[in-house]
Amino acid sequence: MAEGQEGGGPLSPARPLDAIDQDILRMLQADGRASVRSVAERVHVSRANAYARINRLVEDGVIRGFGARVDHERAGHGTSAYITLKIVQNTWRTVREQLRQLPGASHIALVGGDFDVLLLVHTPDNRALRELVLTRLQAIPEVQSTRTLLVFEEEDLEPQG
């Protein structure tokens, strides 16, 4: 079930990706600041073709945006945790909107299994994490229970390429 982009309508079905599109994606995942010229050279197409392909990938919702990979500890958010939530049935959309507003929320997923939602947060310290869980999360009426898994060490995996 595909949902629309922020503030937009539903996405149309994505067109099939060929080998050049896949190469462009790998390249932009490794370096989101790569110029169209360098992308074109690496995948052996014209700059106009590379530009058109990148725009199509964005328009189709395949590329959701461009950003920086952050070292959260160096950025002043040295405490990370995965928080599992059990929520009232059929309240996912309401809960998701409230979770998006949480400071330090980095990833939200609706999952199947022993819990309903998996939330990744980055906070300055344990005190801020405790405040987030005990005051903010547990105050959401649709949240039935939480479990916090403190992250001791983490590593973002680089795209295979």
Side-chain angles (χ1 to χ4, degrees):
M1 179 169 104
E3 293 211 20
Q5 294 172 318
E6 294 297 317
L11 292 174
S12 60
R15 292 170 266 201
L17 303 182
D18 64 15
I20 293 172
D21 292 330
Q22 295 289 349
D23 287 345
I24 290 171
L25 288 175
R26 276 192 291 278
M27 199 175 159
L28 291 176
Q29 283 178 297
D31 180 8
R33 294 174 38 161
S35 67
V36 173
R37 178 181 173 184
S38 66
V39 169
E41 288 172 359
R42 296 244 337 248
V43 300
H44 309 291
V45 297
S46 70
R47 280 187 287 195
N49 189 334
Y51 183 80
R53 284 174 177 267
I54 292 168
N55 278 344
R56 180 177 51 87
L57 291 168
V58 171
E59 289 170 6
D60 284 354
V62 175
I63 295 176
R64 296 184 301 179
F66 297 88
R69 289 189 299 268
V70 175
D71 181 319
H72 296 285
E73 190 169 353
R74 293 182 64 93
H77 289 94
T79 299
S80 297
Y82 286 95
I83 304 169
T84 67
L85 296 88
K86 287 188 180 182
I87 62 173
V88 174
Q89 188 173 358
N90 296 323
T91 61
W92 161 242
R93 286 179 179 79
T94 302
V95 171
R96 178 182 56 195
E97 292 310 312
Q98 294 176 74
L99 297 178
R100 284 180 173 164
Q101 305 305 314
L102 293 174
S106 173
H107 185 87
I108 305 165
L110 176 66
V111 298
D114 293 337
F115 48 88
D116 304 306
V117 177
L118 183 62
L119 171 67
L120 174 60
V121 298
H122 304 283
T123 62
D125 52 33
N126 285 350
R127 181 179 303 246
L129 176 61
R130 183 183 71 216
E131 177 72 16
L132 182 97
V133 173
L134 297 180
T135 303
R136 302 285 299 269
L137 276 177
Q138 293 183 359
I140 298 172
E142 298 85 359
V143 172
Q144 296 175 322
S145 67
T146 64
R147 178 173 291 166
T148 302
L149 307 166
L150 191 60
V151 174
F152 293 129
E153 187 174 318
E154 63 184 320
E155 177 179 342
D156 288 330
L157 300 177
E158 298 298 321
Q160 302 290 320

